[in-house]
């Protein structure tokens, strides 16, 4: 489409990385448009009650909430900054007219409204700060009401002050379990235990290499101390080397089975114990939101994060990336990357402070992955009737038997013959899991086509009526 | 009975591999990527007689259509219940015109098809509405084609391959044809292939079949006798699942004009249908932009607009994904099926454009008959590489 609105630096995503990018671009004198699909800035990390019913305890519920408020006020209060909330980018396309080379197509308005307002932006430069959503591995019973992803539980607790249950188990892997457990506890629920799949040995080995590099990040220790004291205050036990391998219940979850895992995450027979709960929050990893980066043509690395250079520029000129889409490294790294990306997108040399902070936190992504990354033994806790793709209700058994019967070696063929990942979520929830299980079930050790569940040219579903209203041809009504 | 290499494991190559293996040949299908990873995985699964005027392609389409029920039954019996369904659905087509000017050409087109043996029933507006209750009221003419059908093309391709394996064929994916093996007389006697890991090997063959679709131009050039097949891009929109409200393949009469056009510019015409899973597929666009595959709002908007003209309720439906692919376009609009007189040993089964899913059965039967020296089931002459209409285009690619 042509005839979009010219804008300066377009920052997509108003979480920590996006806000930091917007601030740096404004400091550099650029005009900035900051866009987010949700109705508030802050992203998932600083999700909070709406302003009109602001909470008294935001500061206690959020680490660094004062930092958020300062950043938000700095960015939103700047006359050179346009903030577009409730605005989802639904596609990007090549455009000779825009300085960045791209038109960014935006739909504004709530998804349940009769119509969305469609617009097109033609930025000089783009900062992608689209973040990540948490990935939950399937297990028998995970589709029961009362089973939440860690992110959803946290969002309910922080954004809605909703308690997910009375007796809650938090399970999965990685440091994210700590804030999830804390916000669930702060919401008034009793967290019975936190279950981390990895054993202490691996966690120590993963975090420990070159420990002097962690010195600059010692503020993180304070954060950790905060979690530990919170756990002590709420009397939450933290167990390692175990997992929730099944949820039980008829209308909703009533109990979970927790089993010990070996180092490859394979459940150890005989170690199962049943724990009565009315909610369980599970998160094993994060999946970067790569749709826009892929649509723009940005190269990904072998671990499927966006490749960036020292100035956070992707392999596509004028397109920068910051935050979790370049690696799951936490809020400090995301903000440092955002500050570098925002300045560079505005045509300035990034501040030495931002570059230094990025270096301090730069190996967090690697440490988290080494200490907490998913191990393939988890396949063993699946049953044939465990639903893998919830939208299309594809069970693990059918996934494997279909793959075995066709001998298909292409992901596209496997998806179309199993229907896994083809539903309304378009693989956002199950895509990585479906890929992992299908590779394991198909003849080779990789797919022979170059298909990825991350590729979604339609980034967010749109009403056909809204799409029909677009257009520049003589045929437009 | 000879050794045969089929190049390309799309639906055409897969159907041919099965047919030749069942004929007793020693067949290997070589595929650069994975099965059905090109054109076959990017279309709607059309098995149409409605979109072709009288002529050799219609004859082939009618012949192909007559084979499909048997093929579908054989595949089901052979592969069993554990194999995913190929979803052969003889749902019929409904072609409508929505303009005053469009009615007469559509009625004339249908009359010509009837004279060629196609069931093309003129239906009044009330009957059209009973066939498709959610159709627009603004139709000016409607033709019902009971023979039109639909299939899940990717599963069908995998089913052909599975059946071919059971008949003794080999499927070699992840291997690209990189050169020709010629005998002392200059005839094609095999192909050189290279795996993804860079390992090369030769396959001797009495016949090599180019079934590489739009990539068949490059394959035939590597082998030494280029054919002028070109990619013609198309985009399909997929809605979220909904209760079935579209029961036939429904398209606007200007679809035929777009199919038969030679223009390189973007053309769109509305094709709307439901799938077994409950999504609605919306096509179609045609443009010649090489293998460039870029998202375009303009195409999406046009497709959405025209689909809503046919089915107003689609205005509130949600677009969930889009995909695009490249049809193998032959500049004279007729597939090439048969041996290449310029290079004995090289056979083509290519250029079906957007009709390759439907034409797969007939193409395979025709090619197998030609290779075996049997009487072809349909006249093969119009599909010959040496037909007059193709000569100028052959000269172009040879130059």
């Amino acid at each position: 489409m042509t005839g979009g609105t010219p804008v300066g630096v377009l920052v997509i995503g108003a979480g920590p990385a996006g806000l930091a990018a917007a601030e740096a671009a404004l400091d550099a004198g650029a005009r900035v448009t900051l866009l987010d699909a949700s109705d508030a800035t802050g992203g998932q990390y600083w999700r909070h009650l709406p302003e009109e019913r602001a909470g008294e305890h935001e500061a206690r519920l959020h680490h660094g909430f004062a930092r958020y408020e300062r950043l938000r006020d700095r960015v939103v209060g700047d006359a050179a900054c346009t903030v577009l909330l409730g605005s989802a980018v639904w596609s990007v396309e090549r455009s000779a007219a825009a300085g960045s080379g791209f038109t960014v197509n935006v739909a504004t308005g709530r998804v349940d409204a009769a119509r969305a307002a469609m617009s097109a932006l033609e930025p000089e430069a783009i900062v992608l700060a689209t973040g990540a959503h948490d990935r939950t591995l399937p297990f028998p019973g995970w589709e029961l009401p009362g089973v939440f992803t860690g992110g959803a539980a946290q969002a309910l607790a922080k954004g809605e002050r909703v308690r997910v249950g009375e007796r809650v188990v938090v399970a999965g892997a990685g440091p994210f379990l700590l804030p999830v457990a804390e916000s669930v506890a702060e919401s008034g629920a009793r967290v019975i235990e936190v279950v981390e799949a990895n054993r202490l040995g691996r966690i120590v080995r993963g975090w420990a290499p070159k420990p002097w590099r962690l010195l600059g990040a010692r503020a993180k220790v304070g954060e950790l101390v905060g979690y530990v004291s919170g756990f002590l205050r709420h009397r939450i036990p933290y167990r390692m080397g175990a997992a929730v391998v099944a949820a039980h219940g008829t209308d909703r979850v009533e109990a979970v089975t927790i089993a010990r895992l070996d180092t490859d995450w394979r459940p150890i027979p005989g170690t199962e114990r049943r724990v009565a709960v009315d909610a369980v929050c599970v998160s094993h990893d994060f999946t970067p939101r790569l749709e826009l980066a892929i649509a723009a043509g940005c190269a990904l690395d072998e671990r499927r994060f966006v490749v960036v250079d020292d100035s956070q520029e992707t392999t596509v000129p004028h397109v920068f990336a910051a935050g979790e889409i370049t690696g799951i490294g936490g809020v400090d790294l995301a903000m440092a990357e955002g500050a570098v990306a925002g300045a560079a997108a505005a045509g300035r040399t990034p501040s030495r402070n931002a570059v230094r902070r990025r270096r301090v936190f730069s190996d967090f992504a690697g440490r988290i992955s080494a200490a907490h990354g998913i191990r393939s033994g988890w396949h063993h806790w699946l049953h044939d009737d465990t639903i893998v793709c919830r939208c299309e209700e594809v069970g693990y058994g059918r996934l494997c038997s279909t793959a075995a019967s066709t001998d298909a070696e292409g992901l596209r063929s496997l998806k179309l013959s199993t229907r896994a990942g083809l539903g309304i979520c378009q693989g956002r929830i199950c895509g990585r899991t479906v890929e992992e299980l299908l590779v394991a079930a198909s003849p080779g050790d990789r797919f022979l086509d170059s298909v990825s569940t991350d590729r979604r040219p339609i980034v967010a579903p749109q009403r056909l009526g809204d799409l029909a209203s677009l257009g520049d041809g003589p045929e437009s009504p | 009975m000879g050794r045969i290499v089929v190049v390309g494991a799309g639906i055409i190559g897969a159907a041919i591999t099965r047919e030749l293996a069942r004929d007793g040949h020693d067949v290997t299908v070589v595929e650069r990527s994975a099965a059905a990873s090109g054109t076959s995985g990017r279309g709607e699964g059309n098995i149409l007689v409605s979109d072709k005027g009288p002529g050799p392609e219609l004859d082939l389409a009618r012949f192909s259509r007559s084979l499909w029920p048997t093929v579908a039954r054989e595949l089901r019996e052979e592969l069993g219940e554990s194999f995913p369904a190929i979803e052969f659905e003889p749902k019929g087509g409904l072609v409508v015109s929505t303009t005053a000017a469009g009615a007469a050409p559509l009625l004339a087109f249908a009359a010509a098809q009837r004279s060629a043996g196609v069931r093309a029933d003129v239906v009044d507006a009330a009957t059209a509405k009973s066939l498709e209750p959610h159709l627009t009221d603004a139709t000016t003419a409607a033709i019902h084609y009971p023979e039109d059908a639909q299939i899940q093309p990717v599963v069908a391709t995998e089913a052909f391959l599975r059946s071919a394996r059971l008949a003794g064929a080999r499927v070699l994916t992840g291997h690209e044809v990189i050169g020709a093996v010629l005998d002392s007389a200059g005839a094609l006697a095999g192909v050189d292939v290279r795996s993804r890991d860079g390992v090369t090997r030769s396959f001797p063959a009495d016949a090599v079949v180019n079934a590489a679709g739009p990539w068949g131009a490059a394959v035939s050039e590597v082998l030494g006798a280029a054919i002028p097949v070109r990619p013609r891009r198309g985009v399909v929109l997929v809605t979220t699942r909904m209760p079935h409200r579209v029961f036939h393949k429904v398209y606007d009469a200007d679809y035929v004009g777009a199919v038969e056009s030679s223009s390189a510019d973007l053309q769109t015409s509305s094709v709307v249908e439901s799938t077994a899973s409950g999504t609605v597929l919306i096509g179609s666009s045609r443009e010649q932009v090489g293998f460039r595959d870029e998202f375009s709002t303009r195409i999406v908007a046009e497709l959405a607009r025209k689909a809503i003209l046919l089915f107003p309720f689609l205005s509130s439906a949600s677009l969930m994904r889009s995909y695009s692919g490249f049809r193998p376009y032959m500049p004279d609009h007729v597939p090439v099926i048969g041996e290449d007189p310029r290079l004995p040993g090289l056979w083509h089964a290519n250029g079906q454009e957007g009709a390759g899913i439907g034409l797969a059965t007939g193409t395979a039967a025709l090619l197998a008959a030609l290779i075996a020296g049997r009487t072809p089931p349909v006249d093969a002459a119009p599909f010959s590489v040496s037909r007059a209409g193709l000569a100028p285009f052959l000269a172009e690619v040879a130059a």
Side-chain angles (χ1 to χ4, degrees), chain B residues 135-185:
Chain B
L135 186 67
T136 173
D137 293 324
T139 57
T140 56
I143 313 291
H144 180 218
Y145 293 88
E147 296 162 302
D148 280 358
Q150 188 178 2
I151 203 160
Q152 211 313 334
V154 170
V155 180
T157 303
E158 299 284 6
F160 279 130
L161 290 174
R162 183 80 197 149
S163 170
R165 283 194 189 95
L166 294 174
R170 277 178 305 278
V171 181
L172 195 66
T173 50
H175 282 73
E176 184 172 7
V177 171
I178 54 164
V181 178
L182 301 179
D183 67 14
S184 53

Side-chain angles (χ1 to χ4, degrees), chain A residues 83-115:
Chain A
V83 182
L84 301 174
L85 297 175
S87 296
V89 175
W90 69 270
S91 66
V92 297
E93 64 192 298
R94 284 271 170 199
S95 158
S100 62
F102 291 96
T103 294
V104 176
N105 297 309
V106 179
T108 301
R110 299 187 68 89
V111 284
D112 54 355
R115 298 206 67 154

Side-chain angles (χ1 to χ4, degrees), chain A residues 93 392 409 413 448 462 470, chain B residues 158 173 196 297 305 319:
Chain A
E93 64 192 298
E392 298 282 323
E409 296 158 297
S413 172
L448 290 180
Q462 298 300 315
L470 301 169
Chain B
E158 299 284 6
T173 50
R196 294 216 157 174
T297 304
R305 220 155 31 230
L319 171 64

Side-chain angles (χ1 to χ4, degrees), chain A residues 91 93 105 392 405 407-409 412-413 419 422-424 426 448 461-465 467-468 470 475 477, chain B residues 33-34 41 82-83 154 158 162 173 196-197 240-241 277 295-297 301-302 305 314-315 317-321:
Chain A
S91 66
E93 64 192 298
N105 297 309
E392 298 282 323
S405 69
D407 286 331
E409 296 158 297
R412 188 173 178 80
S413 172
R419 300 212 55 78
L422 292 178
I424 178 71
Q426 288 291 289
L448 290 180
Q462 298 300 315
R463 287 174 68 255
L464 286 172
L467 297 170
L470 301 169
E475 286 161 332
Chain B
S33 174
S82 68
F83 203 92
V154 170
E158 299 284 6
R162 183 80 197 149
T173 50
R196 294 216 157 174
D197 310 321
T240 52
R241 270 156 56 158
S277 65
F295 181 85
S296 155
T297 304
E302 273 194 33
R305 220 155 31 230
L314 285 174
S315 179
S318 222
L319 171 64
M320 176 173 72
R321 68 171 172 269

Side-chain angles (χ1 to χ4, degrees), chain A residues 102-397:
Chain A
F102 291 96
T103 294
V104 176
N105 297 309
V106 179
T108 301
R110 299 187 68 89
V111 284
D112 54 355
R115 298 206 67 154
M118 310 299 274
S119 57
L121 305 178
E122 295 191 334
E124 292 296 317
I126 299 173
V127 178
L128 299 173
T130 46
H133 52 80
D134 57 335
R135 174 178 168 196
T136 296
L137 300 175
F139 51 88
W142 74 309
E143 69 277 19
L144 280 171
V147 179
F148 297 87
T149 68
Q154 198 187 33
L156 285 169
K158 281 167 33 174
E160 307 288 340
R161 298 294 188 270
V162 169
R163 193 188 300 174
V164 294
E166 303 293 329
R167 290 172 53 85
V168 184
V169 164
V170 174
F176 183 52
L177 300 182
L178 305 176
V180 169
E182 186 182 69
S183 30
V184 168
E186 287 289 341
S187 75
R190 185 172 157 226
V191 178
I192 300 168
E193 57 186 285
V194 174
V195 183
E196 154 75 49
N198 297 289
R199 296 180 172 191
L200 182 61
R202 179 181 174 202
I203 295 174
V204 169
R205 278 194 305 278
W207 281 95
K210 302 179 182 166
W212 57 91
R213 286 208 184 162
L214 289 168
L215 279 176
R218 55 192 173 273
K220 281 281 183 196
V221 177
E223 198 177 316
L224 188 62
V225 168
Y227 288 129
V228 170
S229 62
F231 275 38
L232 291 173
R233 189 167 71 244
H234 294 289
R235 297 195 182 133
I236 305 172
Y238 180 79
R239 297 187 212 282
M240 287 174 278
V244 167
V245 296
H248 314 281
T250 44
D251 298 328
R252 65 170 287 128
V253 62
E254 291 160 10
V256 292
T257 296
I258 296 172
R260 290 198 49 76
L261 304 181
D262 69 14
T263 53
D264 197 35
W265 289 26
R266 186 198 280 249
I268 300 171
T271 65
E272 299 88 355
R273 61 194 165 87
R274 200 175 166 110
V275 178
V277 297
D278 58 1
V280 54
C281 309
V282 193
S283 174
H284 296 92
D285 195 6
F286 286 87
T287 309
R289 300 176 63 162
L290 296 171
E291 294 97 335
L292 294 175
I294 290 173
C298 305
L300 307 182
D301 63 20
E302 70 283 357
R303 295 186 52 235
R304 290 161 75 177
F305 291 102
V306 178
V307 173
V308 290
D309 66 11
D310 283 348
S311 64
Q312 298 293 131
E313 193 165 15
T314 68
T315 53
V316 177
H318 313 297
V319 179
F320 298 78
E324 309 296 62
I325 59 171
T326 69
I328 306 298
V331 65
D332 297 286
L333 180 59
M335 292 183 69
E337 289 183 356
V340 171
R348 290 287 178 84
T349 306
S351 79
R352 280 160 61 186
N353 181 35
V355 172
R356 184 189 58 76
R357 282 188 292 125
R358 183 180 61 179
R359 191 175 56 242
V360 166
F361 294 104
S362 66
D363 61 356
F364 262 57
R367 289 176 195 267
I368 291 172
S369 170
H372 302 281
I374 290 172
R375 295 295 180 96
S376 65
W378 72 271
H379 302 188
H380 292 277
W381 72 52
L382 296 172
H383 298 170
D384 277 356
D385 60 355
T386 306
I387 297 293
V388 172
C389 163
R390 296 164 77 148
C391 301
E392 298 282 323
E393 297 183 349
V394 182
Y396 177 59

